[in-house]
């Protein structure tokens, strides 16, 4: 299945509109506004097409697993049983290796407790794991009280940056955010970070950025739309090139029927493997 519109980009669809001649007396931004509107509408349609296909791929994958998964599992089990029967009959080391590999493919996955060995306690995750997941230090502080230098830096920073010294609400918000970082660094006894914070405060607030003009904002919007289209195109290509996407392309008009056809093929393979296993086990019984 091909995603509609994947062949062109949003910027190409609006380039002529953005660069065309101005209609007499209109605002300079008018052409850009029309170009942005056209690109937005095209992107919406493209996003709908990509999302529709994504849902089809996801649903097909889920149904494929639900309906055909047991058949694949049965085939793997039969392959292992056949390989084991062959190895038992021949006693050959290579046949034994193949049998072990076939059996390994049908072994159950380890449980959650095994995967998280040493990471779970009676209440769930261990303290070390919980600390890592909540961005807290894994190891406890090395000392109860921060060093004298850290305490000195902390006092100086609080005296300079305390929120009560704010001149206005914006300055208070800046100081509140900064003091939170200072307290966190002091709590860890991090002298290096406290020095960095001291230098940061000495530099003062970052200058306010110049507000872009209406034309600059429109150009930025066009650029964002083009980048978004490129991202969606990559997602669409990945979906189309996936195993499930390739299967959907085989029957774009009736994917449900494709599942039925695959099921019929798998059932036939299961019957063949069962007959082969029965033949091998029968030969073993006859030869014993």
């Amino acid at each position: 299945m091909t995603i509609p519109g994947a062949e062109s980009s949003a910027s190409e669809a609006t380039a002529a509109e953005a660069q065309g001649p101005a209609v007499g007396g209109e605002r300079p931004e008018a052409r850009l506004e029309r170009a942005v509107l056209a690109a937005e509408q095209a992107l919406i349609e493209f996003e709908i097409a990509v999302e529709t296909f994504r849902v089809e791929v996801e649903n097909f994958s889920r149904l494929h697993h639900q309906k055909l998964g047991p058949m694949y599992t049965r085939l793997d089990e039969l392959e292992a049983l056949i390989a084991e029967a062959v190895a038992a009959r021949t006693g050959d080391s290579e046949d034994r290796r193949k049998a072990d590999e076939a059996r390994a493919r049908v072994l159950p996955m380890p449980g959650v407790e095994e995967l998280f060995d040493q990471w779970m306690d009676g209440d769930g995750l261990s303290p070390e794991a919980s600390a890592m997941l909540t961005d807290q230090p894994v190891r406890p502080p090395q000392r109860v009280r921060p060093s004298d230098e850290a305490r000195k830096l902390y006092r100086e920073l609080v005296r300079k940056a305390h929120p009560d010294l704010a001149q206005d609400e914006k300055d208070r918000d800046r100081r509140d955010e900064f003091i939170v970082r200072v307290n966190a660094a002091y709590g860890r006894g991090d002298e290096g970070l406290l020095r960095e914070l001291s230098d940061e405060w000495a530099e003062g607030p970052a200058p306010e950025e110049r507000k872009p003009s209406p034309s600059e904002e429109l150009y930025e919007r066009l650029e964002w739309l083009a980048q978004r289209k490129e991202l969606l195109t990559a997602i669409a290509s990945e979906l189309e090139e996936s195993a499930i996407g390739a299967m959907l392309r085989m029957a774009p008009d009736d994917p449900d029927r494709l599942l039925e056809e695959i099921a019929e093929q798998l059932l036939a393979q299961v019957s063949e493997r069962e007959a082969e296993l029965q033949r091998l086990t029968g030969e073993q019984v006859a030869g014993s």
Side-chain angles (χ1 to χ4, degrees):
M1 178 179 294
T2 301
I3 303 296
E7 300 83 3
S8 60
S9 70
S11 57
E12 292 172 352
T14 57
E17 178 69 30
Q19 299 175 4
V23 179
E26 72 176 358
R27 293 178 298 110
E29 298 86 9
R31 296 193 307 277
L32 282 171
E33 289 172 353
R34 290 197 298 271
V36 168
L37 179 60
E40 288 174 340
Q41 293 173 341
L43 184 63
I44 288 172
E45 293 300 321
F46 187 51
E47 286 191 352
I48 291 172
V50 173
E51 179 62 14
T52 299
F53 187 56
R54 187 195 65 77
V55 169
E56 290 179 1
V57 169
E58 185 177 290
N59 289 345
F60 190 89
S61 177
R62 185 180 295 109
L63 289 172
H64 182 273
H65 177 73
Q66 290 174 348
K67 292 184 176 182
L68 307 184
M71 297 184 190
Y72 286 119
T73 300
R74 177 58 178 163
L75 275 175
D76 286 342
E77 176 66 24
L78 287 169
E79 293 288 356
L81 290 172
I82 290 170
E84 288 167 350
V86 170
R89 185 182 64 180
T90 65
D92 184 75
S93 60
E94 180 63 16
D95 289 338
R96 183 70 260 169
R97 183 188 64 80
K98 292 178 180 179
D100 291 340
E101 290 181 353
R103 176 54 59 189
R105 287 194 289 269
V106 296
L107 287 176
M109 291 291 290
V112 174
E113 293 80 5
E114 297 176 62
L115 291 173
F116 286 91
D117 185 34
Q118 304 300 324
W119 282 87
M120 299 185 72
D121 54 23
D123 298 324
L125 291 175
S126 69
E128 291 80 6
S130 298
M132 291 184 67
L133 293 175
T134 55
D135 294 327
Q136 299 298 317
V138 175
R139 296 180 180 178
Q142 295 181 352
R143 50 193 298 173
V144 175
R145 175 177 294 175
S147 67
D148 291 342
E149 181 62 21
R151 294 166 64 192
K152 176 183 177 182
L153 289 167
Y154 174 72
R155 288 194 295 267
E156 291 176 353
L157 280 169
V158 172
R159 291 191 186 105
K160 295 176 182 177
H162 198 281
D164 288 348
L165 301 176
Q167 301 298 314
D168 52 40
E169 195 63 30
K170 184 177 181 180
D171 187 30
R172 173 173 286 276
D173 290 342
R174 171 178 172 249
R175 289 170 179 269
D176 282 335
E177 184 273 336
F178 186 79
I179 286 296
V180 168
R181 294 160 60 198
V182 169
N183 288 338
Y186 180 67
R188 295 193 297 269
D190 193 334
E191 291 183 28
L193 181 55
L194 286 170
R195 290 192 185 93
E196 292 178 9
L197 289 169
S198 181
D199 293 339
E200 178 184 328
W201 186 259
E203 292 176 1
E208 294 186 5
E209 296 182 359
R210 182 183 67 85
K211 186 177 180 180
S213 68
S215 294
E216 290 172 332
E217 289 181 340
L218 290 167
Y219 272 117
E220 289 177 1
R221 178 63 175 167
L222 274 177
E223 183 178 354
W224 182 87
L225 289 167
Q227 292 173 350
R228 176 66 177 167
K229 185 65 178 292
E230 290 179 3
L231 174 62
L232 288 171
T233 300
I235 293 174
S237 298
E238 184 175 347
L239 287 170
E240 290 179 337
E241 294 170 3
S242 67
I244 295 297
M247 294 173 70
L248 277 174
R249 289 201 302 272
M250 295 169 58
D253 299 326
D254 194 2
D256 293 318
R257 176 55 192 162
L258 177 60
L259 279 176
E260 295 175 4
E261 293 175 356
I262 296 173
E264 292 171 0
Q265 296 172 7
L266 289 175
L267 283 173
Q269 293 178 32
V270 167
S271 297
E272 292 174 2
R273 298 299 189 277
E274 287 177 340
E276 183 178 357
L277 178 62
Q278 187 174 5
R279 178 182 61 79
L280 287 169
T281 54
E283 290 178 356
Q284 288 180 359
V285 171
S288 60

